Amino acid sequence: MNKKIKVIIVDDEKLARDIIKTYLAKYDTIQIVAECSNGFEALKQINELKPDLIFLDIQMPKISGFEMLELLEDPPIIIFTTAFDNYAIKAFEVNAIDYLLKPFSEERFDDSIQKAMNLLNNKNESNKKLEALSRTLEQKVEFLERVVIKQNQKIIIIPVSEIKFIEAQDDYVMIYTSKGNYLKEKTMKYFEEYLNPQNFIRIHRSYIANISCIKQIELYEKESYKIILDDSTKLPVSKTGFQKIKELIR
């Protein structure tokens, strides 16, 4: 490719950003267009500058690297840089091209750059390889602690403990809390997988409920039940959902 590769470095540690800049200095085909110390700043720069590649730390103040990616409509190529190895599986699930575990050597860094260049030169073929890699990796679920919502110009962070229930709405879900309701472009399957089953239960094809909010279960009609939440909201319960609830209260 003839044009320069536009890069943004996102890391809350200045030393980490400086190391990446030092390693990138020898690449004439790469232009660092911004460096950011948090996810909010990075969102603004990525939307404005449209980089080809970002080096992204995962654990940062305010919002994490994963939460920031959720708010991007068309994320660039990602190389994660982190001091924690427990996010590797999730990193490949969001199609990161590589995962650099701090402290990483310049040789290891150069390998990542080569992968990124190969991907930019032959994006379709590289995407297939990434998808194959993702499928072969062992699944490891880390439960959500909070949900990030983009609402017009605002970014709202909801601790999962504040979620009362979730309702399916086509390709979206409506998240109900005591402070308001929030629409998010995610599937029920996603939340069923990433909400801790010790705290949440899927009671119906269209509903997931916070177990701590369930006040009672009542018979609605023959073999049909509803749960009553502590704010008097009534939600339908499927036969499968009822079996799950019975197992929960044994």
Side-chain angles (χ1 to χ4, degrees), residues 5 27 29-30 112-122:
I5 298 170
Y27 291 96
T29 56
I30 289 178
S112 285
I113 290 294
Q114 191 57 55
K115 288 180 186 176
M117 288 181 172
N118 291 342
L119 180 57
L120 288 165
N121 286 327
N122 192 353

Side-chain angles (χ1 to χ4, degrees), residues 30-196:
I30 289 178
Q31 177 188 12
I32 301 171
V33 293
E35 58 177 293
C36 309
S37 60
N38 63 67
F40 289 132
E41 187 182 343
L43 277 172
K44 182 174 183 295
Q45 296 289 1
I46 291 168
N47 287 326
E48 287 181 3
L49 300 172
K50 309 293 184 193
D52 303 296
L53 167 67
I54 55 174
F55 290 90
L56 179 60
D57 191 12
I58 294 177
Q59 285 200 340
M60 295 184 291
K62 300 178 181 177
I63 59 173
S64 72
F66 289 126
E67 290 166 339
M68 189 204 78
L69 288 177
E70 281 188 36
L71 302 173
L72 292 174
E73 292 182 2
D74 186 20
I77 295 172
I78 308 148
I79 296 176
F80 280 111
T81 59
T82 178
F84 303 92
D85 62 1
N86 53 319
Y87 297 115
I89 302 297
K90 191 171 180 179
F92 283 107
E93 286 176 349
V94 295
N95 280 356
I97 187 68
D98 209 347
Y99 187 94
L100 292 173
L101 192 60
K102 298 174 184 175
F104 45 83
S105 67
E106 186 169 1
E107 183 180 13
R108 179 68 182 85
F109 182 86
D110 289 341
D111 287 343
S112 285
I113 290 294
Q114 191 57 55
K115 288 180 186 176
M117 288 181 172
N118 291 342
L119 180 57
L120 288 165
N121 286 327
N122 192 353
K123 201 164 186 175
N124 289 336
E125 185 63 27
S126 298
N127 275 343
K128 288 177 185 174
K129 289 180 180 176
L130 270 174
E131 289 168 7
L133 176 61
S134 294
R135 285 195 296 271
T136 57
L137 286 167
E138 181 184 358
Q139 294 294 306
K140 180 181 177 183
V141 175
E142 292 179 6
F143 298 121
L144 293 174
E145 294 181 356
R146 56 191 185 183
V147 178
V148 179
I149 308 283
K150 188 176 183 181
Q151 194 176 71
N152 299 322
Q153 299 303 311
K154 294 189 295 185
I155 294 172
I156 300 164
I157 298 173
I158 306 170
V160 295
S161 59
E162 293 183 2
I163 297 174
K164 299 175 81 67
F165 69 96
I166 296 173
E167 180 184 23
Q169 294 194 359
D170 297 325
D171 294 333
Y172 292 78
V173 297
M174 183 66 79
I175 299 173
Y176 294 82
T177 76
S178 57
K179 297 176 182 174
N181 308 330
Y182 306 94
L183 195 64
K184 186 170 179 66
E185 189 179 8
K186 283 288 184 185
T187 63
M188 293 293 280
K189 184 175 183 298
Y190 169 85
F191 280 103
E192 188 176 21
E193 184 175 1
Y194 286 102
L195 287 173
N196 190 334

Side-chain angles (χ1 to χ4, degrees), residues 202-228:
R202 188 161 185 172
I203 57 170
H204 186 274
R205 180 169 53 86
S206 299
Y207 293 96
I208 294 173
N210 186 329
I211 293 168
S212 67
C213 295
I214 298 175
K215 187 171 70 175
Q216 65 186 67
I217 304 164
E218 66 179 28
L219 186 64
Y220 179 61
E221 53 189 26
K222 186 179 180 182
E223 297 185 352
S224 178
Y225 292 84
K226 287 198 172 189
I227 63 166
I228 316 296

